[in-house]
Amino acid sequence: MSPTLTFQLNNQAIHVDANRACDPLLDFIREDARRTGTKEGCRSGECGACMVLVHRAGCTRLVNSCIATLGQVAGAAVMSVEGLTDRLSGALHPAQRSMIDQRAAQCGFCTPGIVMALVFGSAQSTPAVPTAVLSGNLCRCTGYRPIIDAARQCWNDSGHVELFDSEQPDTEAGSFPGFESPASLAVALELRAKHPDATVLAGGTDLVTEWRRNGTRPSHVLYLGRVQELQRIDATGPDLSIGAGVTIAQAIDCLLGPWPEAADYLRRFGSPAINANATIAGNLQTASPIGDLAPLLMVLDARVNVQNQTADRSIPVDTFVAGYRRTRLAADELITEIVVPPRPDRLKLFAYKVSRRFDQDLASLNLLVSFQLIAGVMQQVKVAIGGLSNQASRLPVFETACEGRPPTLQVMQQLAQTLNAAIEPITDVRGSARYRRLVAQNLLTRLALDMNGDTETNLRLVQPT
């Protein structure tokens, strides 16, 4: 008898052949369970029509089911839109009722995903901003104002609604043939040594999309979502230690404490569903030239700690990326943590992302600058740029040119030519090389304006609330 993986769907136990561990959760929900309220849209985690809730160990996450695998939800409880209605009274969830009351649906294709996002937002411990919670949901025909009104009504009306059974029988997670799911770092490292060619999977928000795009499935997966040692955050010492399996949402929260200037930049990282599942190590290990975290961590002097069965080593983030989609990680190593040193005195940090739309878009260019302002001049300058070419990187020549100079508007406009000579932008669908050069130079002007608190000419995007 072949092994099975078990999870719950709408509080009902589900048993699936373990050979399907890499199948998309969306396909099972729609085709096997026939819960067709969950829709298939972009199939890349961008439109939000397929959103469901996944509950494990007291934590509920919003998940794009098109880029989540069955193996990742083994041992968890999944809730689709059909499960929101009260099983005894038949009453609608406040999120469903608010969408009806505010006439916030027309064709209705996007509505189930929006409802799940509203449910997620209503459960937050602090008041949620509708546009932020809904940033991963696209609607082509209703218009967003009634949807935002529905969000306000939902959060005003919803008390505590218990969606998941307190007892979840027969939902023990485990490893399956071709889909290893270790519960400890020691076992994970042992499996990595035995299977150096295995695909390492954590959040899967990038990898699963790639599998769909290429029409391939990995023959062997090492899933790290159950390794508790990789999900720890330690801020008790001088350094900030962020475990490799910490989600982007959690990483953003702990980075904003010492570096609040990065708030606008990190706010644009991804949708709530992406941020709740993608991991900090995954964002670095994919070595994408448009990964938003790498250039930020570069100017913060962060290090990537990696480990195999016999040794560990530390690699600066700015040398960890070895090229397009390549890192300096050995075949038998795993990332264990990202370590960020304490904030130096008098540090100034400027973080800019330029893209064609505000929410959930790939960067045309990221520019990150940090320096210590001592006696009115820049010292210990660090500059990183992303989205420009085939990898994010530091700009040492430009950094040297900035040393000892005051960050005034006149100086920054002079340094723009040095920056222009230090970069080699490419032309692609996100922008031309000429456009990227112009934007990079203009961002130096913005830095000087921000530095001097110029509110007259520094434009700010105001989001509706």
Side-chain angles (χ1 to χ4, degrees), residues 145-406:
R145 175 52 62 188
I147 297 173
I148 292 172
D149 292 340
R152 292 198 187 95
Q153 177 183 323
C154 169
W155 297 336
N156 288 333
D157 293 350
S158 62
H160 180 70
V161 179
E162 192 62 60
L163 295 176
F164 298 95
D165 287 343
S166 56
E167 295 183 6
Q168 298 174 12
D170 196 20
T171 56
E172 184 65 28
S175 292
F176 313 104
F179 195 97
E180 308 281 0
S181 181
S184 71
L185 180 58
V187 175
L189 292 171
E190 178 184 351
L191 290 169
R192 189 57 172 160
K194 289 181 180 178
H195 308 287
D197 295 330
T199 298
V200 178
L201 175 66
T205 55
D206 188 61
L207 275 180
V208 180
T209 303
E210 183 180 332
W211 299 348
R212 178 200 61 80
R213 185 169 56 245
N214 297 336
T216 60
R217 298 280 176 86
S219 58
H220 202 120
V221 169
L222 177 57
Y223 174 56
L224 303 179
R226 297 176 60 224
V227 181
Q228 291 301 310
E229 295 103 312
L230 300 181
Q231 299 178 31
R232 296 171 180 164
I233 298 173
D234 185 1
T236 58
D239 293 339
L240 172 63
S241 173
I242 306 174
V246 168
T247 67
I248 296 297
Q250 295 167 326
I252 288 173
D253 284 344
C254 63
L255 286 170
L256 287 182
W259 296 282
E261 307 97 317
D264 287 347
Y265 180 81
L266 292 172
R267 154 76 176 83
R268 303 180 60 189
F269 187 94
S271 70
I274 296 297
N275 290 352
N277 295 279
T279 64
I280 185 170
N283 188 259
L284 291 176
Q285 189 168 337
T286 55
S288 169
I290 50 174
D292 293 327
L293 276 185
L296 173 62
L297 293 172
M298 286 177 184
V299 301
L300 297 182
D301 256 353
R303 307 184 305 276
V304 181
N305 287 354
V306 304
Q307 189 174 340
N308 62 18
Q309 276 194 291
T310 60
D312 58 75
R313 60 193 179 111
S314 185
I315 310 170
V317 172
D318 54 6
T319 62
F320 179 72
V321 177
Y324 180 73
R325 297 287 187 176
R326 294 187 295 110
T327 71
R328 302 195 186 282
L329 197 66
D332 64 342
E333 290 178 324
L334 294 174
I335 300 175
T336 55
E337 63 182 349
I338 287 80
V339 179
V340 188
R343 178 174 185 142
D345 293 338
R346 293 173 285 191
L347 180 84
K348 301 293 182 180
L349 173 66
F350 300 89
Y352 304 117
K353 175 177 178 176
V354 176
S355 57
R356 288 180 295 180
R357 67 174 190 262
F358 184 86
D359 285 308
Q360 204 180 354
D361 199 9
L362 305 178
S364 298
L365 186 140
N366 290 326
L367 181 68
L368 285 295
V369 180
S370 73
F371 55 85
Q372 295 177 48
L373 187 65
I374 301 174
V377 299
M378 297 181 285
Q379 297 187 21
Q380 300 295 315
V381 181
K382 298 176 180 66
V383 180
I385 201 158
L388 190 77
S389 57
N390 67 345
Q391 68 180 86
S393 60
R394 290 269 298 273
L395 299 177
V397 172
F398 181 67
E399 292 171 351
T400 300
C402 292
E403 286 285 339
R405 307 287 298 279

Side-chain angles (χ1 to χ4, degrees), residues 44-205:
S44 59
E46 295 187 40
C47 73
C50 69
M51 282 180 175
V52 297
L53 298 174
V54 175
H55 182 80
R56 189 198 302 273
C59 175
T60 301
R61 294 179 179 177
L62 188 63
V63 173
N64 291 306
S65 61
C66 67
I67 54 174
T69 66
L70 290 174
Q72 289 172 284
V73 300
V78 179
M79 183 71 64
S80 71
V81 70
E82 290 91 348
L84 297 179
T85 304
D86 188 277
R87 284 171 287 174
L88 297 178
S89 67
L92 296 177
H93 188 280
Q96 296 169 305
R97 173 53 57 191
S98 67
M99 290 290 286
I100 295 172
D101 291 347
Q102 298 298 329
R103 300 181 180 180
Q106 289 189 37
C107 80
F109 192 89
C110 66
T111 303
I114 290 173
V115 166
M116 302 310 286
L118 296 187
V119 174
F120 179 77
S122 69
Q124 302 308 299
S125 57
T126 57
V129 178
T131 51
V133 171
L134 294 165
S135 63
N137 298 87
L138 299 178
C139 176
R140 293 192 174 192
C141 56
T142 297
Y144 292 104
R145 175 52 62 188
I147 297 173
I148 292 172
D149 292 340
R152 292 198 187 95
Q153 177 183 323
C154 169
W155 297 336
N156 288 333
D157 293 350
S158 62
H160 180 70
V161 179
E162 192 62 60
L163 295 176
F164 298 95
D165 287 343
S166 56
E167 295 183 6
Q168 298 174 12
D170 196 20
T171 56
E172 184 65 28
S175 292
F176 313 104
F179 195 97
E180 308 281 0
S181 181
S184 71
L185 180 58
V187 175
L189 292 171
E190 178 184 351
L191 290 169
R192 189 57 172 160
K194 289 181 180 178
H195 308 287
D197 295 330
T199 298
V200 178
L201 175 66
T205 55

